PDB file of all heavy atoms in Angstrom:
ATOM      1  N   GLN L 744      29.592 -15.871  21.919  1.00  0.00           N
ATOM      2  CA  GLN L 744      28.722 -16.485  22.873  1.00  0.00           C
ATOM      3  C   GLN L 744      28.822 -18.054  22.813  1.00  0.00           C
ATOM      4  O   GLN L 744      28.782 -18.629  23.855  1.00  0.00           O
ATOM      5  CB  GLN L 744      27.226 -16.083  22.583  1.00  0.00           C
ATOM      6  CG  GLN L 744      26.927 -14.644  22.941  1.00  0.00           C
ATOM      7  CD  GLN L 744      25.590 -14.258  22.811  1.00  0.00           C
ATOM      8  OE1 GLN L 744      24.776 -14.799  21.867  1.00  0.00           O
ATOM      9  NE2 GLN L 744      24.994 -13.357  23.666  1.00  0.00           N
ATOM     10  N   LEU L 773      19.024 -19.922  28.034  1.00  0.00           N
ATOM     11  CA  LEU L 773      18.920 -18.711  28.777  1.00  0.00           C
ATOM     12  C   LEU L 773      19.552 -17.492  27.902  1.00  0.00           C
ATOM     13  O   LEU L 773      19.012 -16.406  27.959  1.00  0.00           O
ATOM     14  CB  LEU L 773      19.573 -18.821  30.114  1.00  0.00           C
ATOM     15  CG  LEU L 773      18.861 -19.717  31.130  1.00  0.00           C
ATOM     16  CD1 LEU L 773      19.687 -19.826  32.396  1.00  0.00           C
ATOM     17  CD2 LEU L 773      17.462 -19.232  31.476  1.00  0.00           C
ATOM     18  N   THR L 774      20.695 -17.818  27.279  1.00  0.00           N
ATOM     19  CA  THR L 774      21.245 -16.790  26.460  1.00  0.00           C
ATOM     20  C   THR L 774      20.448 -16.364  25.359  1.00  0.00           C
ATOM     21  O   THR L 774      20.240 -15.116  25.015  1.00  0.00           O
ATOM     22  CB  THR L 774      22.559 -17.299  25.960  1.00  0.00           C
ATOM     23  OG1 THR L 774      23.544 -17.692  27.049  1.00  0.00           O
ATOM     24  CG2 THR L 774      23.265 -16.325  25.052  1.00  0.00           C
ATOM     25  N   LEU L 776      17.054 -16.354  25.250  1.00  0.00           N
ATOM     26  CA  LEU L 776      16.021 -15.669  25.748  1.00  0.00           C
ATOM     27  C   LEU L 776      16.507 -14.133  26.080  1.00  0.00           C
ATOM     28  O   LEU L 776      15.765 -13.234  25.851  1.00  0.00           O
ATOM     29  CB  LEU L 776      15.388 -16.314  26.995  1.00  0.00           C
ATOM     30  CG  LEU L 776      14.805 -17.700  26.700  1.00  0.00           C
ATOM     31  CD1 LEU L 776      14.163 -18.189  27.946  1.00  0.00           C
ATOM     32  CD2 LEU L 776      13.755 -17.628  25.641  1.00  0.00           C
ATOM     33  N   LEU L 777      17.656 -14.175  26.718  1.00  0.00           N
ATOM     34  CA  LEU L 777      18.173 -12.767  27.028  1.00  0.00           C
ATOM     35  C   LEU L 777      18.547 -11.946  25.783  1.00  0.00           C
ATOM     36  O   LEU L 777      18.378 -10.809  25.849  1.00  0.00           O
ATOM     37  CB  LEU L 777      19.470 -12.950  27.957  1.00  0.00           C
ATOM     38  CG  LEU L 777      19.047 -13.454  29.353  1.00  0.00           C
ATOM     39  CD1 LEU L 777      20.398 -13.681  30.093  1.00  0.00           C
ATOM     40  CD2 LEU L 777      18.225 -12.422  30.133  1.00  0.00           C
ATOM     41  N   MET L 778      19.061 -12.639  24.742  1.00  0.00           N
ATOM     42  CA  MET L 778      19.338 -11.974  23.514  1.00  0.00           C
ATOM     43  C   MET L 778      18.020 -11.360  22.828  1.00  0.00           C
ATOM     44  O   MET L 778      18.152 -10.324  22.269  1.00  0.00           O
ATOM     45  CB  MET L 778      20.107 -12.874  22.532  1.00  0.00           C
ATOM     46  CG  MET L 778      21.505 -13.100  22.921  1.00  0.00           C
ATOM     47  SD  MET L 778      22.536 -11.564  22.970  1.00  0.00           S
ATOM     48  CE  MET L 778      22.515 -11.097  21.321  1.00  0.00           C
ATOM     49  N   VAL L 779      16.940 -12.063  22.858  1.00  0.00           N
ATOM     50  CA  VAL L 779      15.665 -11.661  22.327  1.00  0.00           C
ATOM     51  C   VAL L 779      15.322 -10.300  23.093  1.00  0.00           C
ATOM     52  O   VAL L 779      14.928  -9.273  22.536  1.00  0.00           O
ATOM     53  CB  VAL L 779      14.578 -12.683  22.432  1.00  0.00           C
ATOM     54  CG1 VAL L 779      13.293 -12.064  22.142  1.00  0.00           C
ATOM     55  CG2 VAL L 779      14.835 -13.755  21.556  1.00  0.00           C
ATOM     56  N   ALA L 780      15.430 -10.413  24.550  1.00  0.00           N
ATOM     57  CA  ALA L 780      15.077  -9.308  25.314  1.00  0.00           C
ATOM     58  C   ALA L 780      16.110  -8.027  24.969  1.00  0.00           C
ATOM     59  O   ALA L 780      15.628  -6.875  24.984  1.00  0.00           O
ATOM     60  CB  ALA L 780      15.296  -9.595  26.688  1.00  0.00           C
ATOM     61  N   LEU L 781      17.368  -8.334  24.609  1.00  0.00           N
ATOM     62  CA  LEU L 781      18.318  -7.312  24.302  1.00  0.00           C
ATOM     63  C   LEU L 781      17.973  -6.697  22.904  1.00  0.00           C
ATOM     64  O   LEU L 781      18.149  -5.404  22.667  1.00  0.00           O
ATOM     65  CB  LEU L 781      19.674  -7.860  24.138  1.00  0.00           C
ATOM     66  CG  LEU L 781      20.827  -6.969  23.666  1.00  0.00           C
ATOM     67  CD1 LEU L 781      21.089  -5.980  24.763  1.00  0.00           C
ATOM     68  CD2 LEU L 781      22.174  -7.706  23.521  1.00  0.00           C
ATOM     69  N   THR L 782      17.381  -7.390  22.025  1.00  0.00           N
ATOM     70  CA  THR L 782      17.059  -6.906  20.654  1.00  0.00           C
ATOM     71  C   THR L 782      15.777  -6.133  20.703  1.00  0.00           C
ATOM     72  O   THR L 782      15.568  -5.179  19.974  1.00  0.00           O
ATOM     73  CB  THR L 782      16.959  -8.072  19.653  1.00  0.00           C
ATOM     74  OG1 THR L 782      18.111  -8.918  19.740  1.00  0.00           O
ATOM     75  CG2 THR L 782      16.725  -7.635  18.290  1.00  0.00           C
ATOM     76  N   ILE L 783      14.883  -6.416  21.581  1.00  0.00           N
ATOM     77  CA  ILE L 783      13.519  -5.837  21.539  1.00  0.00           C
ATOM     78  C   ILE L 783      13.738  -4.338  22.040  1.00  0.00           C
ATOM     79  O   ILE L 783      14.435  -4.017  22.884  1.00  0.00           O
ATOM     80  CB  ILE L 783      12.556  -6.542  22.488  1.00  0.00           C
ATOM     81  CG1 ILE L 783      12.189  -7.879  21.972  1.00  0.00           C
ATOM     82  CG2 ILE L 783      11.252  -5.727  22.749  1.00  0.00           C
ATOM     83  CD1 ILE L 783      11.415  -8.763  22.875  1.00  0.00           C
ATOM     84  N   TRP L 786       8.458  -3.270  24.384  1.00  0.00           N
ATOM     85  CA  TRP L 786       7.901  -4.493  24.931  1.00  0.00           C
ATOM     86  C   TRP L 786       6.407  -4.495  24.558  1.00  0.00           C
ATOM     87  O   TRP L 786       5.750  -3.483  24.764  1.00  0.00           O
ATOM     88  CB  TRP L 786       8.243  -4.653  26.350  1.00  0.00           C
ATOM     89  CG  TRP L 786       9.581  -5.160  26.650  1.00  0.00           C
ATOM     90  CD1 TRP L 786      10.744  -4.278  26.811  1.00  0.00           C
ATOM     91  CD2 TRP L 786      10.017  -6.421  26.629  1.00  0.00           C
ATOM     92  NE1 TRP L 786      11.892  -5.080  27.028  1.00  0.00           N
ATOM     93  CE2 TRP L 786      11.448  -6.387  26.950  1.00  0.00           C
ATOM     94  CE3 TRP L 786       9.507  -7.718  26.512  1.00  0.00           C
ATOM     95  CZ2 TRP L 786      12.277  -7.553  27.104  1.00  0.00           C
ATOM     96  CZ3 TRP L 786      10.266  -8.866  26.626  1.00  0.00           C
ATOM     97  CH2 TRP L 786      11.601  -8.787  26.901  1.00  0.00           C
ATOM     98  N   THR L 848      26.092 -17.750  31.659  1.00  0.00           N
ATOM     99  CA  THR L 848      25.073 -16.908  30.889  1.00  0.00           C
ATOM    100  C   THR L 848      25.422 -15.437  31.019  1.00  0.00           C
ATOM    101  O   THR L 848      25.281 -14.700  30.114  1.00  0.00           O
ATOM    102  CB  THR L 848      23.595 -17.092  31.402  1.00  0.00           C
ATOM    103  OG1 THR L 848      23.300 -18.494  31.383  1.00  0.00           O
ATOM    104  CG2 THR L 848      22.686 -16.357  30.615  1.00  0.00           C
ATOM    105  N   VAL L 849      25.722 -14.892  32.333  1.00  0.00           N
ATOM    106  CA  VAL L 849      26.113 -13.456  32.459  1.00  0.00           C
ATOM    107  C   VAL L 849      27.279 -13.204  31.702  1.00  0.00           C
ATOM    108  O   VAL L 849      27.366 -12.103  31.019  1.00  0.00           O
ATOM    109  CB  VAL L 849      26.242 -13.286  34.008  1.00  0.00           C
ATOM    110  CG1 VAL L 849      26.938 -11.914  34.232  1.00  0.00           C
ATOM    111  CG2 VAL L 849      25.006 -13.332  34.739  1.00  0.00           C
ATOM    112  N   SER L 851      28.400 -14.452  28.953  1.00  0.00           N
ATOM    113  CA  SER L 851      28.039 -14.434  27.502  1.00  0.00           C
ATOM    114  C   SER L 851      27.104 -13.233  27.083  1.00  0.00           C
ATOM    115  O   SER L 851      27.180 -12.795  25.906  1.00  0.00           O
ATOM    116  CB  SER L 851      27.413 -15.723  27.071  1.00  0.00           C
ATOM    117  OG  SER L 851      26.137 -15.758  27.708  1.00  0.00           O
ATOM    118  N   CYS L 852      26.444 -12.683  28.066  1.00  0.00           N
ATOM    119  CA  CYS L 852      25.368 -11.615  27.682  1.00  0.00           C
ATOM    120  C   CYS L 852      25.804 -10.197  28.193  1.00  0.00           C
ATOM    121  O   CYS L 852      25.400  -9.283  27.539  1.00  0.00           O
ATOM    122  CB  CYS L 852      23.952 -12.039  28.135  1.00  0.00           C
ATOM    123  SG  CYS L 852      23.321 -13.481  27.296  1.00  0.00           S
ATOM    124  N   LEU L 853      26.396 -10.232  29.386  1.00  0.00           N
ATOM    125  CA  LEU L 853      26.515  -8.902  30.065  1.00  0.00           C
ATOM    126  C   LEU L 853      27.391  -7.908  29.161  1.00  0.00           C
ATOM    127  O   LEU L 853      27.069  -6.838  29.096  1.00  0.00           O
ATOM    128  CB  LEU L 853      27.206  -9.073  31.381  1.00  0.00           C
ATOM    129  CG  LEU L 853      27.328  -7.732  32.200  1.00  0.00           C
ATOM    130  CD1 LEU L 853      25.959  -7.104  32.412  1.00  0.00           C
ATOM    131  CD2 LEU L 853      28.165  -8.067  33.613  1.00  0.00           C
ATOM    132  N   PRO L 854      28.479  -8.373  28.499  1.00  0.00           N
ATOM    133  CA  PRO L 854      29.224  -7.455  27.676  1.00  0.00           C
ATOM    134  C   PRO L 854      28.368  -6.871  26.530  1.00  0.00           C
ATOM    135  O   PRO L 854      28.638  -5.714  26.213  1.00  0.00           O
ATOM    136  CB  PRO L 854      30.434  -8.391  27.170  1.00  0.00           C
ATOM    137  CG  PRO L 854      30.504  -9.413  28.101  1.00  0.00           C
ATOM    138  CD  PRO L 854      29.205  -9.701  28.759  1.00  0.00           C
ATOM    139  N   LEU L 855      27.597  -7.649  26.048  1.00  0.00           N
ATOM    140  CA  LEU L 855      26.656  -7.183  24.927  1.00  0.00           C
ATOM    141  C   LEU L 855      25.719  -6.129  25.447  1.00  0.00           C
ATOM    142  O   LEU L 855      25.461  -5.057  24.721  1.00  0.00           O
ATOM    143  CB  LEU L 855      25.952  -8.254  24.258  1.00  0.00           C
ATOM    144  CG  LEU L 855      26.851  -9.463  23.690  1.00  0.00           C
ATOM    145  CD1 LEU L 855      25.921 -10.467  23.048  1.00  0.00           C
ATOM    146  CD2 LEU L 855      27.663  -8.849  22.573  1.00  0.00           C
ATOM    147  N   TYR L 856      25.166  -6.266  26.668  1.00  0.00           N
ATOM    148  CA  TYR L 856      24.288  -5.306  27.173  1.00  0.00           C
ATOM    149  C   TYR L 856      25.051  -4.003  27.487  1.00  0.00           C
ATOM    150  O   TYR L 856      24.640  -2.805  27.273  1.00  0.00           O
ATOM    151  CB  TYR L 856      23.660  -5.820  28.490  1.00  0.00           C
ATOM    152  CG  TYR L 856      22.423  -6.570  28.276  1.00  0.00           C
ATOM    153  CD1 TYR L 856      22.444  -7.949  27.997  1.00  0.00           C
ATOM    154  CD2 TYR L 856      21.151  -5.987  28.421  1.00  0.00           C
ATOM    155  CE1 TYR L 856      21.288  -8.664  27.814  1.00  0.00           C
ATOM    156  CE2 TYR L 856      19.939  -6.684  28.223  1.00  0.00           C
ATOM    157  CZ  TYR L 856      20.137  -7.926  27.856  1.00  0.00           C
ATOM    158  OH  TYR L 856      18.922  -8.713  27.693  1.00  0.00           O
ATOM    159  N   ILE L 857      26.342  -4.128  27.883  1.00  0.00           N
ATOM    160  CA  ILE L 857      27.176  -2.915  28.199  1.00  0.00           C
ATOM    161  C   ILE L 857      27.418  -2.157  26.838  1.00  0.00           C
ATOM    162  O   ILE L 857      27.389  -0.970  26.794  1.00  0.00           O
ATOM    163  CB  ILE L 857      28.429  -3.275  28.911  1.00  0.00           C
ATOM    164  CG1 ILE L 857      28.104  -3.892  30.303  1.00  0.00           C
ATOM    165  CG2 ILE L 857      29.397  -2.170  29.061  1.00  0.00           C
ATOM    166  CD1 ILE L 857      29.332  -4.485  31.031  1.00  0.00           C
ATOM    167  N   LEU L 858      27.792  -2.956  25.873  1.00  0.00           N
ATOM    168  CA  LEU L 858      28.120  -2.298  24.567  1.00  0.00           C
ATOM    169  C   LEU L 858      26.777  -1.592  23.936  1.00  0.00           C
ATOM    170  O   LEU L 858      26.965  -0.591  23.370  1.00  0.00           O
ATOM    171  CB  LEU L 858      28.540  -3.407  23.553  1.00  0.00           C
ATOM    172  CG  LEU L 858      30.026  -3.934  23.880  1.00  0.00           C
ATOM    173  CD1 LEU L 858      30.276  -5.040  22.814  1.00  0.00           C
ATOM    174  CD2 LEU L 858      31.028  -2.786  23.744  1.00  0.00           C
ATOM    175  N   LYS L 859      25.707  -2.143  24.155  1.00  0.00           N
ATOM    176  CA  LYS L 859      24.484  -1.574  23.618  1.00  0.00           C
ATOM    177  C   LYS L 859      24.242  -0.259  24.449  1.00  0.00           C
ATOM    178  O   LYS L 859      23.850   0.701  23.739  1.00  0.00           O
ATOM    179  CB  LYS L 859      23.383  -2.509  23.843  1.00  0.00           C
ATOM    180  CG  LYS L 859      21.885  -1.988  23.393  1.00  0.00           C
ATOM    181  CD  LYS L 859      20.880  -2.912  23.536  1.00  0.00           C
ATOM    182  CE  LYS L 859      19.453  -2.286  22.987  1.00  0.00           C
ATOM    183  NZ  LYS L 859      18.390  -3.177  23.222  1.00  0.00           N
ATOM    184  N   TYR L 860      24.375  -0.304  25.742  1.00  0.00           N
ATOM    185  CA  TYR L 860      24.181   0.921  26.569  1.00  0.00           C
ATOM    186  C   TYR L 860      25.189   2.046  26.120  1.00  0.00           C
ATOM    187  O   TYR L 860      24.773   3.081  25.899  1.00  0.00           O
ATOM    188  CB  TYR L 860      24.445   0.618  27.987  1.00  0.00           C
ATOM    189  CG  TYR L 860      24.445   1.887  28.824  1.00  0.00           C
ATOM    190  CD1 TYR L 860      23.211   2.421  29.199  1.00  0.00           C
ATOM    191  CD2 TYR L 860      25.582   2.410  29.380  1.00  0.00           C
ATOM    192  CE1 TYR L 860      23.223   3.619  29.974  1.00  0.00           C
ATOM    193  CE2 TYR L 860      25.593   3.439  30.215  1.00  0.00           C
ATOM    194  CZ  TYR L 860      24.428   4.125  30.404  1.00  0.00           C
ATOM    195  OH  TYR L 860      24.277   5.275  31.253  1.00  0.00           O
ATOM    196  N   LEU L 861      26.373   1.680  25.821  1.00  0.00           N
ATOM    197  CA  LEU L 861      27.401   2.641  25.395  1.00  0.00           C
ATOM    198  C   LEU L 861      27.087   3.284  24.018  1.00  0.00           C
ATOM    199  O   LEU L 861      27.234   4.446  23.797  1.00  0.00           O
ATOM    200  CB  LEU L 861      28.826   2.054  25.504  1.00  0.00           C
ATOM    201  CG  LEU L 861      29.331   1.658  26.862  1.00  0.00           C
ATOM    202  CD1 LEU L 861      30.743   1.014  26.700  1.00  0.00           C
ATOM    203  CD2 LEU L 861      29.427   2.919  27.754  1.00  0.00           C
ATOM    204  N   LYS L 862      26.694   2.437  23.190  1.00  0.00           N
ATOM    205  CA  LYS L 862      26.292   2.847  21.819  1.00  0.00           C
ATOM    206  C   LYS L 862      25.111   3.785  21.772  1.00  0.00           C
ATOM    207  O   LYS L 862      25.113   4.800  21.141  1.00  0.00           O
ATOM    208  CB  LYS L 862      26.034   1.646  20.863  1.00  0.00           C
ATOM    209  CG  LYS L 862      25.682   2.061  19.507  1.00  0.00           C
ATOM    210  CD  LYS L 862      25.432   0.751  18.650  1.00  0.00           C
ATOM    211  CE  LYS L 862      25.126   1.321  17.184  1.00  0.00           C
ATOM    212  NZ  LYS L 862      24.728   0.132  16.323  1.00  0.00           N
ATOM    213  N   ARG L 863      24.117   3.433  22.624  1.00  0.00           N
ATOM    214  CA  ARG L 863      22.890   4.349  22.672  1.00  0.00           C
ATOM    215  C   ARG L 863      23.306   5.653  23.301  1.00  0.00           C
ATOM    216  O   ARG L 863      22.604   6.653  22.988  1.00  0.00           O
ATOM    217  CB  ARG L 863      21.789   3.575  23.455  1.00  0.00           C
ATOM    218  CG  ARG L 863      21.008   2.500  22.664  1.00  0.00           C
ATOM    219  CD  ARG L 863      20.011   1.935  23.562  1.00  0.00           C
ATOM    220  NE  ARG L 863      18.932   2.883  23.758  1.00  0.00           N
ATOM    221  CZ  ARG L 863      17.860   3.073  22.976  1.00  0.00           C
ATOM    222  NH1 ARG L 863      17.735   2.324  21.902  1.00  0.00           N
ATOM    223  NH2 ARG L 863      16.904   3.940  23.320  1.00  0.00           N
TER     224      ARG L 863
END
Side-chain angles (χ1 to χ4, degrees):
Q744 290 185 327
L773 292 176
T774 298
L776 298 181
L777 289 174
M778 286 300 296
V779 171
L781 177 66
T782 306
I783 290 173
W786 283 89
T848 306
V849 167
S851 67
C852 294
L853 185 60
L855 300 178
Y856 273 84
I857 295 174
L858 290 175
K859 180 181 179 181
Y860 171 77
L861 294 176
K862 181 180 180 182
R863 286 181 65 92

